[in-house]
């Protein structure tokens, strides 16, 4: 809905580079540096945008003022969270919300806005584009709670104040609820929204930037319909009060429950490392003894 350009001089583009974006139906906004609107309205490709939809921004941007109302308060936190969750905002000022100046809007910027509200900092300045990976002292894993429920568990030495991740479900699954563990939240709240087919974005943050309580155990519970073994957690970011952002490797829920079977319906059979060993099998006869994966469950073949 909004495109922000930082170049004062229009970049040379094809006439139809923004085809399907600049028409009156989509009503997309183009934001350009102050004093350059006329140049864009007369440049090939850029001149396809409606004049009323081209606005200028200048050096008077207030860092943290994500909704552009001239003040930095909790409304800017909500505006930024909504933007991350891809919910429609009446007005969103990218440069103001990008507190750490990395050209991305994520949970770290939420922490930065809260710091501004609390008077902790006016701007965090630029950070390195490459986010550090979590060290050996901080571990994240999934635990199966049974009844199609999983836990995102964090064992940490660092003190984190906020987190963001994407949740991907298997086809046919639905998300019932996401909850913060009552013993680990410290004024934190969780917000999530569906951003694609079976794809959800999740944020956990506190208006006071308090650290999560404790240093081990369940942080977030995820309740789904169907088999919880299909859940993937990815694009995982944790942020400290100092706005250091740590990236964790993606998590894949593992199949649980070991069964012994002698008869079965036609199913593909895999080794525990995911290698297909038999397609649409109706029995386990002749398989190598050990544990195999059948219908997303561990099965002992004797």
């Amino acid at each position: 809905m909004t495109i922000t350009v930082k170049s004062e001089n229009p970049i040379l583009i094809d006439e139809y580079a923004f085809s399907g974006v600049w028409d009156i139906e989509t009503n997309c906004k183009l934001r350009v540096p102050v004093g350059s609107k006329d140049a864009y309205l007369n440049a090939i490709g850029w001149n396809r945008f409606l004049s009323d939809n081209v606005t200028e921004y200048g050096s008077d941007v207030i860092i943290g003022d994500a909704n552009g109302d001239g003040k930095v308060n909790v409304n800017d936190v909500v505006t930024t969270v909504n933007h991350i969750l891809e919910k429609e905002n009446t007005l969103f000022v990218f440069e103001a919300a990008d507190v750490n100046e990395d050209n991305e809007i994520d949970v770290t910027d939420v922490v930065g806005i809260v710091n501004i509200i609390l008077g902790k900092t006016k701007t965090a300045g630029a950070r390195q584009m490459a986010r550090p990976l979590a060290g050996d002292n901080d571990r994240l894993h999934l635990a199966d709670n049974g009844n199609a429920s999983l836990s995102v568990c964090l064992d940490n030495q660092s003190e984190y104040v906020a987190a963001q991740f994407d949740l991907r479900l298997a086809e046919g699954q639905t998300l019932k609820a996401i909850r913060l563990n009552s013993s680990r939240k410290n004024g934190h709240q969780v917000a999530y929204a569906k951003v694609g087919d079976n794809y959800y974005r999740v944020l956990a943050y506190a208006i006071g930037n308090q650290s999560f309580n404790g240093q081990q155990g369940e942080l977030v519970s995820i309740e789904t319909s169907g088999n919880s073994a299909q859940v993937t957690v990815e694009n995982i970011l944790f942020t400290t009060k100092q706005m250091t952002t740590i990236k964790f490797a993606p998590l894949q829920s593992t199949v649980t429950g070991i069964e012994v079977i002698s008869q079965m319906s036609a199913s593909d059979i895999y080794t525990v490392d995911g290698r297909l060993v038999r397609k649409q099998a109706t029995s386990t006869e002749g398989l190598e003894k050990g544990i195999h994966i059948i219908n997303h469950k561990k099965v002992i073949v004797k």
Side-chain angles (χ1 to χ4, degrees):
M1 295 304 296
T2 302
I3 298 173
T4 300
V5 185
K6 294 189 175 182
S7 174
E8 294 181 0
N9 299 311
I11 298 170
L12 181 62
I13 61 173
D14 181 83
E15 181 179 1
Y16 298 100
F18 289 107
S19 178
V21 173
W22 37 249
D23 57 38
I24 195 169
E25 287 79 12
T26 55
N27 207 33
C28 181
K29 306 295 189 298
L30 175 65
R31 304 181 66 252
V32 299
V34 64
S36 61
K37 177 176 178 176
D38 288 343
Y40 276 88
L41 288 177
N42 288 289
I44 293 176
W46 302 104
N47 59 5
R48 293 281 185 170
F49 285 91
L50 300 174
S51 178
D52 290 343
N53 286 343
V54 180
T55 58
E56 297 179 333
Y57 67 91
S59 58
D60 58 345
V61 170
I62 301 173
I63 300 300
D65 181 21
N67 64 1
D69 66 354
K71 298 173 286 185
V72 182
N73 53 34
V74 70
N75 291 330
D76 299 297
V77 175
V78 174
T79 297
T80 304
V81 168
N82 284 342
H83 178 82
I84 295 171
L85 297 179
E86 300 184 11
K87 295 182 178 180
E88 183 177 350
N89 282 315
T90 304
L91 178 62
F92 180 75
V93 184
F94 187 100
E95 305 78 29
D98 186 20
V99 177
N100 62 355
E101 299 174 358
D102 69 345
N103 293 320
E104 296 181 27
I105 304 296
D106 56 37
V107 71
T108 306
D109 298 301
V110 175
V111 172
I113 294 173
V114 172
N115 278 340
I116 293 171
I117 295 171
L118 298 176
K120 303 292 185 181
T121 181
K122 293 183 178 179
T123 176
R127 67 175 178 185
Q128 292 182 345
M129 293 300 289
R131 298 184 175 104
L133 294 174
D136 293 336
N137 293 328
D138 293 343
R139 298 178 182 275
L140 198 69
H141 66 278
L142 286 176
D144 194 328
N145 302 327
N147 297 321
S149 175
L150 290 167
S151 293
V152 177
C153 301
L154 174 68
D155 297 334
N156 57 294
Q157 289 192 5
S158 303
E159 292 192 358
Y160 297 112
V161 300
Q164 175 182 332
F165 61 83
D166 291 341
L167 179 68
R168 190 182 295 277
L169 305 182
E171 185 176 354
Q173 270 189 313
T174 58
L175 179 65
K176 290 186 174 181
I178 297 179
R179 300 182 180 88
L180 287 169
N181 186 295
S182 59
S183 64
R184 299 213 64 180
K185 66 181 181 180
N186 183 14
H188 292 82
Q189 52 189 304
V190 64
Y192 59 93
K194 190 173 185 178
V195 296
D197 291 339
N198 290 337
Y199 200 57
Y200 297 81
R201 184 152 299 145
V202 184
L203 281 85
Y205 63 97
I207 294 300
N209 271 352
Q210 303 96 318
S211 299
F212 291 111
N213 284 325
Q215 292 182 307
Q216 62 179 1
E218 179 188 86
L219 188 66
V220 178
S221 65
I222 302 167
E223 184 180 351
T224 68
S225 65
N227 190 350
S228 60
Q230 303 294 312
V231 173
T232 301
V233 179
E234 54 194 21
N235 301 323
I236 307 167
L237 304 176
F238 276 75
T239 304
T240 69
K241 190 175 295 186
Q242 293 74 33
M243 295 180 64
T244 299
T245 304
I246 303 298
K247 180 179 180 181
F248 285 84
L251 303 174
Q252 173 69 57
S253 59
T254 57
V255 291
T256 57
I258 299 179
E259 298 183 359
V260 178
I261 64 172
S262 56
Q263 295 182 341
M264 53 183 276
S265 58
S267 304
D268 292 343
I269 302 177
Y270 297 83
T271 61
V272 290
D273 60 0
R275 181 168 47 88
L276 178 65
V277 294
R278 189 173 294 178
K279 191 171 183 63
Q280 291 297 295
T282 56
S283 77
T284 59
E285 185 177 353
L287 283 176
E288 183 179 347
K289 293 181 180 180
I291 299 175
H292 292 72
I293 309 301
I294 303 175
N295 287 330
H296 309 294
K297 295 182 179 180
K298 291 181 180 177
V299 174
I300 295 179
V301 177
K302 295 185 176 181

